[in-house]
């Protein structure tokens, strides 16, 4: 799912790919897949809205990172971002690089622009915990890139329920977020709760917000 929900301008996607990341900006051999949108290789994400891409056949194991590459022709001023509290590295370079197996010499940022959500079809029964919170949940106490925040670490402590149902943790933390009093850092928690409860397989919501 690509989003411009917090923007007054649309963004054009000229091309996109998804793959399994191996390390840094490198992708695992044989995992690169093109993205399509209603069968087309390009799309417009409208201002104030979201756009789902088509399904992709790609086997992903628990704990693996996805590399999602977008080519945005022309100018792009990001206004909708999904940060991980400055603890995940993203890579960018000029031109259409979506088929590159590595972005050597690329510039880096610790924000994620336009890409908002990925849904994965589980191989068996699944349940999910949605972690609604602020910077601690988002990952502000973690070092850069090792997935050390508590939502990333929690699946190792609770990989499945006693009946074998696999458990996923969805990180819905936004730094400086507030439950009820402010929309200054994303929507207030109470405004986001309904969307979280509608996500597939969610059974529980944890809350850590001021």
């Amino acid at each position: 799912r690509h989003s411009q929900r917090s923007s007054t301008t649309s963004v054009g996607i000229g091309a996109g790919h998804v793959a399994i990341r191996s390390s840094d900006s490198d992708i695992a051999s044989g995992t690169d897949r093109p993205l399509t949108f209603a069968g087309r290789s390009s799309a417009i994400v409208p201002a104030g809205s979201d756009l789902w891409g088509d399904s992709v056949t790609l086997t992903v194991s628990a704990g693996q990172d996805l590399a999602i590459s977008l080519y945005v022709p022309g100018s792009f001023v990001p206004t909708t971002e999904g940060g991980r509290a400055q603890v995940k590295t993203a890579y960018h370079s000029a031109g259409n690089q979506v088929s590159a197996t590595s972005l050597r010499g690329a510039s880096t940022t610790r924000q994620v622009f336009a890409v908002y959500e990925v849904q994965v079809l589980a191989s068996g029964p699944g349940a999910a915990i949605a972690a609604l919170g602020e910077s601690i949940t988002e990952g502000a106490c973690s070092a850069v890139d090792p997935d050390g925040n508590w939502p990333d670490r929690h699946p190792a402590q609770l990989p499945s329920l006693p009946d074998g149902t696999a458990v996923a943790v969805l990180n819905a933390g936004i730094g400086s977020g507030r439950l009820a009093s402010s929309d200054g850092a994303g929507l207030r928690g109470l405004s986001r709760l309904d969307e979280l409860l509608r996500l597939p397989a969610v059974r529980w919501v944890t809350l850590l917000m001021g």
Side-chain angles (χ1 to χ4, degrees), residues 149-205:
N149 59 77
W150 79 259
D152 282 334
R153 293 172 63 88
H154 193 55
Q157 300 169 322
L158 184 66
S160 63
L161 301 179
D163 65 359
T165 299
V167 177
V169 180
L170 313 178
N171 190 328
I174 296 178
S176 299
R178 297 290 183 270
L179 178 65
S181 62
S182 174
D183 285 335
L187 291 176
R188 67 193 73 187
L190 289 177
S191 300
R192 299 168 58 212
L193 188 57
D194 283 348
E195 182 180 24
L196 295 179
L197 292 173
R198 290 195 301 268
L199 291 173
V202 167
R203 295 192 189 180
W204 310 278
V205 174

Side-chain angles (χ1 to χ4, degrees), residues 91-103:
Y91 302 84
H92 58 96
S93 185
N96 187 343
Q97 304 283 344
V98 297
S99 298
T101 58
S102 178
L103 292 181

Side-chain angles (χ1 to χ4, degrees), residues 19-23 26-33 58 101:
I20 295 174
R21 187 180 78 96
S22 55
S23 62
D26 299 352
I27 62 172
S29 177
T31 67
D32 191 32
R33 303 286 190 274
L58 177 64
T101 58

Side-chain angles (χ1 to χ4, degrees), residues 36-83:
T36 58
F37 309 87
R40 300 175 180 270
S41 60
S42 60
I44 300 292
V45 185
S49 300
D50 297 342
L51 176 70
W52 280 99
D54 300 329
S55 60
V56 175
T57 301
L58 177 64
T59 301
V60 181
S61 300
Q64 287 184 313
D65 284 343
L66 291 179
I68 300 175
S69 303
L70 299 180
Y71 168 54
V72 179
S75 60
F76 174 44
V77 179
T79 51
T80 296
E81 52 128 321

Side-chain angles (χ1 to χ4, degrees), residues 60-149:
V60 181
S61 300
Q64 287 184 313
D65 284 343
L66 291 179
I68 300 175
S69 303
L70 299 180
Y71 168 54
V72 179
S75 60
F76 174 44
V77 179
T79 51
T80 296
E81 52 128 321
R84 286 295 301 276
Q86 302 287 316
V87 296
K88 294 294 289 185
T89 302
Y91 302 84
H92 58 96
S93 185
N96 187 343
Q97 304 283 344
V98 297
S99 298
T101 58
S102 178
L103 292 181
R104 297 300 180 197
S107 300
T108 62
T109 179
R110 294 180 188 171
Q111 302 295 343
V112 178
F113 303 116
V115 179
Y116 192 80
E117 178 184 346
V118 176
Q119 292 187 357
V120 180
L121 182 64
S123 58
I129 302 168
L132 178 60
E134 20 78 331
S135 59
I136 294 173
T137 299
E138 189 184 21
C141 297
S142 172
V144 176
D145 287 329
D147 298 330
N149 59 77

Side-chain angles (χ1 to χ4, degrees), residues 6-28:
S6 298
S7 178
T8 58
T9 61
S10 61
V11 62
I13 298 175
H17 277 216
V18 62
I20 295 174
R21 187 180 78 96
S22 55
S23 62
D24 300 323
S25 67
D26 299 352
I27 62 172

